[in-house]
Amino acid sequence: MDYPMFCYQCEQTAGGKGCTKVGVCGKTPEIAALQDLLIYQIKGISCYAKELIEKGEKIDKDIVSFVENSLFTTLTNVNFDGDVHEKMLRQSQDIKQSLRSKVSSCNNCCEQATYNLSDTRDQMLEDAKHAGIMYDKSLDEDIRSLRQTIIYGLKGISAYGHQARELGYYNDQVDEFYFRALQATTDDKLTLEDLITWTIRTGDMSVAIMQKLDEANTTIYKHPAPHKVNVHVKKGPFIVVSGHDLKDLEMLLKQTQGKGINIYTHGEMIPCHGYPELNKYPHLAGNFGGAWQDQQKEFDNIPGCILMTTNCLMKPRDSYKDRIFTTSVVGWDGVKYLGKNDNGDKDFSEIINKALELGGFKEDQEPHEILVGFGHNATLSHAPAIIDAVKSGKLRHFFLIGGCDGARAGRNYFTEFAKQVPKDCIILTLACGKYRFNKLEFGEVAGLPRLLDVGQCNDAYSAVRIALALADAFDTDVNSLPLSIVLSWYEQKAVADLLALLSLGIKGIYLGPTLPAFISPNVLQYLVDTFDIKPISTPEKDLASCLSVPTK
């Protein structure tokens, strides 16, 4: 049976317009349909939840967690397992019915709320046609654009919210916002101006959840500090940990102590080496490989195991499908999943035994180390020296170059831009976009490394903290600092990060390698007019523009 498909939530969507036959990510039309229907269902749940919230009732945190995980599950490169989606859909109907039974009359009711899930998967897939992004052909394109921008921002927020919740931290305002914002995307009475307000509120909530996740990470694992990471391998059995989840890494480190297994970070896990409560484990041996899009060739036939903790999963090749494991919300049909036991812990013995069986690398490579660990606490400890260097003219400009990496041609722009940044400037970087240049030698300026690795994508909050502190020190605002922001985007966490920056009033951001397909021309014009968003051009032109005047 053929199912209609339309997905344009990631930067690499087919033709820059939308995937209609199969996802560039590997998502099949069936999985796409089930994901559409799951989003449809949580919109319906939210219609009832909003009614209860407005009556002063609290929504059970298990329901919040389900909606959060549903958003996260449908984020790019997270879950490709049909059985998981069907199970979540059935659970969504139970939750919807339980909330429906508490609402005597529904002022916010919409078709998503009144819909009841069908009994079989085939029927669900047929129903999913009504949940498709483009199903309503008469919908104003700007309304559709803003609704989808809100949903994609929520997906990004859900990834950060999930990580924080796994550590026992959450934000009640964000939890409530999931329901309010999802319901808003079903409300035909809302105008373009209303939806613009909701979009900026989504940015506010992105800041709030990044702040909460920063609190969780730095309370439990202490503030990151500068730390050298070996990016070459060592002899012996090993497990590569990819994704973003610090708690999963910690559990694995504890369970592999004394077993002769080296643990390597991969992709956005590299900032973990800066956290004192993680780098205290001597078998956290280094970082393996580059950004997420290189995994199929980097994992090809490796004599060790891989654990995927959050998003960034690509279709596993047969050469390593028997040695890649998933956990949390991540899944692929036929790949071994490691879930929680009854007490909330995870037993990693299966992946540990497999790693020992495979034997690992036969010899050490010559070590090559790079620096990580420049979160807001570490960087701002140098604030007096930074301020003096700026005032004396030794330090001319700051560049934040980071975001999501991807495979599309044109991303070498970010490498070339970083290479061309003058030697009297500092580069802040975060997320996996850093792999475009983080192994290059940049030297120092005014006694500081010129390249400062701020952390994961969620550590956009750290970059904001740094910028706000510097603005305060110079008695100005962020937009008047000698600071330029050059962002690469790929998936929905980058959308949440961008909305967070816009909600803080930050202007003049350079964005690439392409603009989002879900942003309509009129919405784009609004962003350009209001926030001076600039599509990237060439490194030379953009660099000259950044440095042409002392302030924006």
Side-chain angles (χ1 to χ4, degrees):
M1 187 180 298
D2 292 328
Y3 306 105
M5 175 179 181
F6 184 85
C7 181
Y8 59 1
Q9 67 180 6
C10 85
E11 190 269 336
Q12 289 181 187
T13 194
K17 296 180 179 179
C19 294
T20 57
K21 298 185 183 302
V22 67
V24 172
C25 62
K27 181 166 58 176
T28 64
E30 180 174 327
I31 295 299
L34 293 173
Q35 291 189 351
D36 286 346
L37 191 58
L38 185 56
I39 295 297
Y40 191 83
Q41 279 284 79
I42 62 172
K43 287 179 182 179
I45 287 170
S46 298
C47 290
Y48 293 117
K50 186 188 177 192
E51 289 286 329
L52 296 170
I53 290 168
E54 290 180 343
K55 293 177 181 177
E57 294 190 32
K58 296 289 185 182
I59 304 300
D60 190 283
K61 291 298 183 185
D62 286 341
I63 296 176
V64 176
S65 182
F66 176 83
V67 169
E68 185 173 74
N69 287 346
S70 295
L71 288 162
F72 193 9
T73 296
T74 63
L75 189 146
T76 303
N77 290 98
V78 175
N79 198 295
F80 303 80
D81 190 323
D83 291 343
V84 169
H85 287 85
E86 183 178 334
K87 180 180 178 181
M88 293 185 76
L89 280 164
R90 295 189 187 283
Q91 189 176 351
S92 73
Q93 184 61 32
D94 291 340
I95 291 171
K96 186 195 285 187
Q97 187 57 47
S98 71
L99 294 178
R100 184 187 284 161
S101 66
K102 297 179 181 180
V103 176
S104 55
S105 62
C106 184
N107 296 320
N108 299 304
C109 275
C110 52
E111 63 180 29
Q112 292 92 336
T114 57
Y115 166 75
N116 289 310
L117 188 73
S118 294
D119 293 331
T120 68
R121 187 183 298 190
D122 282 344
Q123 289 173 316
M124 293 177 197
L125 290 166
E126 185 65 28
D127 294 348
K129 294 175 182 178
H130 297 266
I133 295 168
M134 295 297 180
Y135 177 72
D136 183 357
K137 303 295 184 185
S138 65
L139 184 65
D140 179 86
E141 70 168 342
D142 299 327
I143 295 288
R144 179 184 284 112
S145 176
L146 288 168
R147 285 179 176 180
Q148 292 305 125
T149 301
I150 292 165
I151 289 168
Y152 299 150
L154 290 173
K155 288 188 180 190
I157 290 169
S158 75
Y160 302 148
H162 171 89
Q163 281 181 260
R165 204 176 305 274
E166 287 297 299
L167 294 171
Y169 287 71
Y170 55 85
N171 180 303
D172 286 324
Q173 189 180 14
V174 173
D175 287 355
E176 192 175 284
F177 185 78
Y178 285 135
F179 301 112
R180 291 187 179 275
L182 283 166
Q183 187 278 328
T185 66
T186 71
D187 190 345
D188 292 331
K189 298 188 297 294
L190 296 183
T191 64
L192 280 173
E193 290 73 19
D194 294 331
L195 288 172
I196 286 170
T197 300
W198 277 104
T199 303
I200 299 303
R201 285 181 188 168
T202 304
D204 293 336
M205 293 302 103
S206 182
V207 175
I209 200 61
M210 285 192 282
Q211 182 177 7
K212 183 58 65 174
L213 181 53
D214 178 79
E215 178 189 346
N217 287 338
T218 58
T219 300
I220 295 172
Y221 303 111
K222 311 307 178 189
H223 281 283
H227 191 82
K228 290 183 177 179
V229 181
N230 183 16
V231 294
H232 287 173
V233 301
K234 293 183 176 182
K235 178 181 179 180
F238 67 93
I239 299 172
V240 174
V241 184
S242 192
H244 303 76
D245 199 283
L246 275 60
K247 185 176 181 180
D248 283 328
L249 175 62
E250 180 190 30
M251 285 191 286
L252 183 63
L253 286 167
K254 287 180 177 179
Q255 292 181 37
T256 50
Q257 284 186 100
K259 295 185 183 295
I261 296 177
N262 291 318
I263 304 297
Y264 298 102
T265 57
H266 175 265
E268 286 229 50
M269 294 297 286
I270 191 172
C272 295
H273 294 271
Y275 288 91
E277 291 301 305
L278 294 174
N279 65 36
K280 70 181 183 182
Y281 293 93
H283 61 299
L284 183 59
N287 184 73
F288 178 87
W292 66 272
Q293 76 274 4
D294 295 327
Q295 67 187 259
Q296 289 176 321
K297 62 182 181 183
E298 289 178 345
F299 295 164
D300 192 31
N301 279 309
I302 59 171
C305 292
I306 309 109
L307 178 66
M308 301 297 300
T309 66
T310 59
N311 60 309
C312 303
L313 176 65
M314 297 176 73
K315 181 180 181 179
R317 291 181 177 175
D318 290 341
S319 64
Y320 63 88
K321 196 171 183 180
D322 67 329
R323 60 201 66 183
I324 186 168
F325 296 74
T326 65
T327 190
S328 183
V329 298
V330 190
W332 193 286
D333 185 39
V335 169
K336 180 66 178 182
Y337 178 80
L338 303 174
K340 293 180 181 178
N341 54 27
D342 291 341
N343 60 11
D345 293 327
K346 296 180 182 180
D347 180 1
F348 289 121
S349 57
E350 189 169 352
I351 190 172
I352 290 169
N353 292 335
K354 184 68 175 178
L356 291 170
E357 174 194 326
L358 290 167
F361 296 114
K362 300 301 182 186
E363 56 186 27
D364 292 341
Q365 289 182 338
E366 185 71 24
H368 176 63
E369 294 181 325
I370 61 174
L371 264 178
V372 301
F374 288 95
H376 58 86
N377 191 66
T379 300
L380 291 176
S381 69
H382 298 285
I386 293 171
I387 293 164
D388 287 345
V390 173
K391 289 181 176 179
S392 67
K394 293 178 182 177
L395 179 52
R396 179 166 37 148
H397 205 86
F398 298 89
F399 290 90
L400 173 59
I401 311 173
C404 299
D405 204 5
R408 187 191 291 273
R411 287 183 180 265
N412 60 330
Y413 164 95
F414 300 96
T415 310
E416 294 305 314
F417 191 103
K419 285 180 178 179
Q420 293 178 34
V421 167
K423 296 189 183 300
D424 59 353
C425 302
I426 278 180
I427 300 171
L428 303 168
T429 191
L430 52 80
C432 61
K434 74 185 71 167
Y435 282 101
R436 290 280 164 176
F437 48 80
N438 69 340
K439 293 170 187 175
L440 302 177
E441 294 292 337
F442 287 94
E444 295 187 348
V445 58
L448 293 167
R450 286 188 58 236
L451 180 66
L452 303 179
D453 187 336
V454 177
Q456 294 182 340
C457 49
N458 51 277
D459 290 310
Y461 173 74
S462 262
V464 167
R465 283 279 299 270
I466 293 166
L468 291 174
L470 291 175
D472 186 58
F474 287 107
D475 194 25
T476 186
D477 59 34
V478 172
N479 292 315
S480 298
L481 285 174
L483 167 69
S484 298
I485 300 176
V486 185
L487 293 182
S488 57
W489 81 281
Y490 177 75
E491 39 86 333
Q492 297 81 66
K493 284 183 291 181
V495 175
D497 292 351
L498 177 63
L499 294 180
L501 295 173
L502 298 184
S503 77
L504 293 166
I506 295 175
K507 297 183 178 181
I509 296 169
Y510 289 80
L511 184 65
T514 62
L515 294 175
F518 53 83
I519 298 291
S520 67
N522 288 334
V523 172
L524 175 61
Q525 193 60 50
Y526 170 82
L527 294 175
V528 170
D529 293 343
T530 308
F531 299 103
D532 193 26
I533 284 184
K534 305 172 187 288
I536 62 172
S537 59
T538 67
E540 293 79 10
K541 288 181 180 178
D542 293 343
L543 191 57
S545 176
C546 292
L547 296 171
S548 62
V549 289
T551 60
K552 290 178 183 173

